[in-house]
Amino acid sequence: MILGLSAEEVADKFRKGDIRFTVFGMGKMGLPLAAVIADRGGIVTGVDIDPQRVEMINSGENPIKEEPGLTELVRKGVSEGRLRATVDGVRAVRESDVHVILVPTLVDEHGNVDLSIVREVAGVIAKGLKKGDVVITECTMPPGSTEGLIPILEESGLKLGDFGVAHCPERTMTGTAIRDITGKYPKIIGASDPETLEVVKGIYTIINVKGVYPVSDIKTAEAVKVFEGIYRDVNIALANELAMYCEELGIDAIEAFAAANSQPYCHIHRPGSGVGGHCIPFYPHFAMRTARRRIMHLTRTAREINDLMPVYTAHLVVRALSDAGRSVRSARVLVMGLTFRGGVREFRKTPAEGVIAELMGWGADVCAYDPMCTPEDAARFGVGWAESPEGFDCLVFVTDHREFRNFNLDRAAELMRTRCIVDGRQVIDPGEARKRGFIYYGIGRK
């Protein structure tokens, strides 16, 4: 029983291996967290519904190989007996003191929030919950959602106060999860009562070298993470809107933004062909769908602008081809990048999907290439695979992979049927492209 201990006492027990943790969800965020907890001295059971994933983890194999540093931590945790996985969540809860929920929170195509997986996990926890336990949600949810789980947890026969509840939002990105968990930013913590706050403070000061940032309650902690996502979405939308305005003025948005950002109160983000991933496109809906009054107009408008950018990028392809005297219908277009972000093999809400759909709708012959992907990945989007620009009429860069910044323009100029480039991520130098005879369009570029 750890409820009632001071933060220092909790931290000491954590280091000594006297606290047992259950982490629900062995995905891209849950498994790194479990592995870090084990590395810091905790005894961790990861719970997942996928028996094959559970088996891999228990054999010391990392199922998320693309996450830097995770393979070593999983192997170490398993070999030292500090990390294991199971499909039996109830038993794991009975054997643990702290139960962390880090499972997907979903949004459908209409923006409706679906927390069914989180509620299912709360029901499992209720079947094994004991007096003195602490339940922590880390998955991002609309403010008020964690407190909404309390009645489910009280089906255990216990009342809030017999156990503690907290929200300590994950602030991680795919590709840097270990770094983010262990010290890129301080950990936001909010709890149901001061005793629970002491417990989570003791836990996360061991996990995170940047320490903790306590807030007054659970709902505030939930709002922090949602607001972080909304801030970025709105700022990106502003950048996109200003970039399109710069195109009308005939000025370079990237140059203008860099100069504006030399003033410390200005922080314009980079424009681009769309906003993808599991986070930023969805978190605004957590506020828009739960606001009781008709507010959130700015947030809603920003979401509309960013959702429009893949279509706008496709329109630039049409303009470039038109300048070259070629119609988009039957033109051969190579989409450069399928993942939503450079260096990460993830496809959720990737702008490439919208760009491809728009171009194919206009009759273009579309193929794709991505250095992190395979021909099978391209087939998921209904297009062919091409590693060479030979015979294509337009290259459209949708993802900012590092490899694209070293793209061989000379070779492309020799091989392409028509020399057109549309740059949705500022990976190609406009002057260098035009020097080689390319018709170049970039979002916000002169």
Side-chain angles (χ1 to χ4, degrees):
M1 178 170 171
I2 61 171
L3 201 58
L5 299 180
S6 69
E8 293 74 18
E9 289 171 323
V10 171
D12 186 57
K13 288 176 71 69
F14 188 165
R15 291 191 197 96
K16 293 177 178 177
D18 293 335
I19 298 179
R20 292 182 174 270
F21 297 81
T22 300
V23 178
F24 283 86
M26 290 291 94
K28 292 178 180 292
M29 299 303 152
L31 180 56
L33 177 63
V36 167
I37 292 173
D39 188 56
R40 293 292 196 263
I43 308 299
V44 192
T45 301
V47 180
D48 202 274
I49 61 172
D50 183 351
Q52 184 176 358
R53 176 163 295 220
V54 165
E55 185 177 343
M56 288 179 69
I57 294 169
N58 286 336
S59 65
E61 185 178 352
N62 172 26
I64 310 171
K65 294 178 175 58
E66 62 271 21
E67 189 62 53
L70 184 57
T71 295
E72 294 78 12
L73 284 187
V74 169
R75 186 182 300 122
K76 179 185 177 187
V78 172
S79 66
E80 293 179 349
R82 296 185 178 277
L83 175 64
R84 69 181 185 92
T86 183
V87 295
D88 189 347
V90 175
R91 181 176 177 179
V93 171
R94 287 174 180 156
E95 296 174 350
S96 301
D97 310 292
V98 179
H99 320 296
V100 182
I101 303 176
L102 192 41
V103 295
T105 50
L106 309 175
V107 178
D108 67 18
E109 63 273 18
H110 304 295
N112 298 309
V113 183
D114 179 3
L115 301 180
S116 58
I117 300 176
V118 181
R119 295 192 183 99
E120 287 175 13
V121 170
V124 171
I125 292 174
K127 293 177 182 177
L129 195 64
K130 308 173 300 301
K131 188 171 183 178
D133 286 2
V134 171
V135 179
I136 301 170
T137 57
E138 280 219 10
C139 42
T140 309
M141 299 186 290
S145 300
T146 299
E147 291 169 321
L149 302 178
I150 292 172
I152 300 175
L153 296 171
E154 288 182 337
E155 292 175 7
S156 62
L158 302 172
K159 294 295 182 183
L160 183 64
D162 297 327
F163 61 90
V165 174
H167 181 69
C168 308
E170 56 88 3
R171 307 175 87 186
T172 57
M173 292 194 302
T174 298
T176 58
I178 303 297
R179 179 205 71 177
D180 298 341
I181 291 168
T182 57
K184 180 65 174 178
Y185 325 98
K187 187 71 172 180
I188 305 298
I189 59 172
S192 56
D193 54 77
E195 285 187 338
T196 304
L197 191 67
E198 280 289 298
V199 172
V200 297
K201 186 185 298 183
I203 290 169
Y204 288 104
T205 52
I206 298 300
I207 293 173
N208 192 325
V209 297
K210 286 289 180 70
V212 297
Y213 193 122
V215 294
S216 58
D217 52 40
I218 290 174
K219 198 177 293 185
T220 302
E222 290 171 323
V224 168
K225 179 60 187 292
V226 174
F227 291 174
E228 289 173 357
I230 291 175
Y231 170 82
R232 292 190 65 195
D233 199 42
V234 171
N235 200 319
I236 293 168
L238 174 63
N240 285 330
E241 187 167 73
L242 292 177
M244 291 184 282
Y245 177 58
C246 285
E247 290 174 29
E248 290 185 3
L249 294 177
I251 64 177
D252 191 289
I254 306 307
E255 179 187 6
F257 293 178
N261 287 345
S262 67
Q263 210 272 6
Y265 301 112
C266 187
H267 184 53
I268 306 173
H269 288 5
R270 293 183 74 85
S273 49
V275 177
H278 294 264
C279 303
I280 297 175
F282 298 102
Y283 294 167
H285 295 287
F286 290 2
M288 291 188 296
R289 290 288 171 171
T290 55
R292 294 178 182 174
R293 291 174 290 162
R294 295 183 63 82
I295 53 177
M296 311 302 294
H297 300 302
L298 177 61
T299 303
R300 195 177 307 278
T301 300
R303 197 82 292 285
E304 291 170 356
I305 291 171
N306 289 335
D307 278 344
L308 178 68
M309 293 312 294
V311 175
Y312 182 79
T313 303
H315 275 275
L316 292 182
V317 173
V318 175
R319 288 169 61 185
L321 289 168
S322 178
D323 288 355
R326 185 174 290 278
S327 168
V328 68
R329 187 171 297 279
S330 75
R332 298 196 69 215
V333 180
L334 181 58
V335 173
M336 304 292 284
L338 289 171
T339 66
F340 87 90
R341 177 164 62 87
V344 172
R345 192 177 179 279
E346 279 194 19
F347 305 102
R348 188 81 181 271
K349 290 286 284 186
T350 175
E353 185 173 15
V355 173
I356 290 169
E358 197 74 11
L359 291 172
M360 291 180 69
W362 292 334
D365 177 12
V366 183
C367 289
Y369 171 70
D370 190 305
M372 300 199 71
C373 298
T374 65
E376 289 73 25
D377 293 319
R380 294 169 52 181
F381 294 88
V383 298
W385 178 261
E387 296 185 9
S388 166
E390 184 174 3
F392 284 92
D393 300 302
C394 185
L395 306 178
V396 51
F397 289 85
V398 182
T399 310
D400 58 342
H401 289 304
R402 183 181 303 172
E403 293 87 343
F404 291 163
R405 297 188 182 277
N406 300 314
F407 184 74
N408 191 329
L409 288 169
D410 291 320
R411 180 170 178 269
E414 292 175 0
L415 295 176
M416 290 179 68
R417 182 169 68 178
T418 310
R419 296 180 185 179
C420 292
I421 286 178
V422 170
D423 186 2
R425 294 296 183 189
Q426 301 93 46
V427 295
I428 302 296
D429 183 280
E432 292 298 320
R434 291 180 179 127
K435 189 187 299 183
R436 291 161 175 80
F438 283 94
I439 293 170
Y440 174 95
Y441 280 87
I443 293 174
R445 301 312 298 263
K446 185 175 178 180

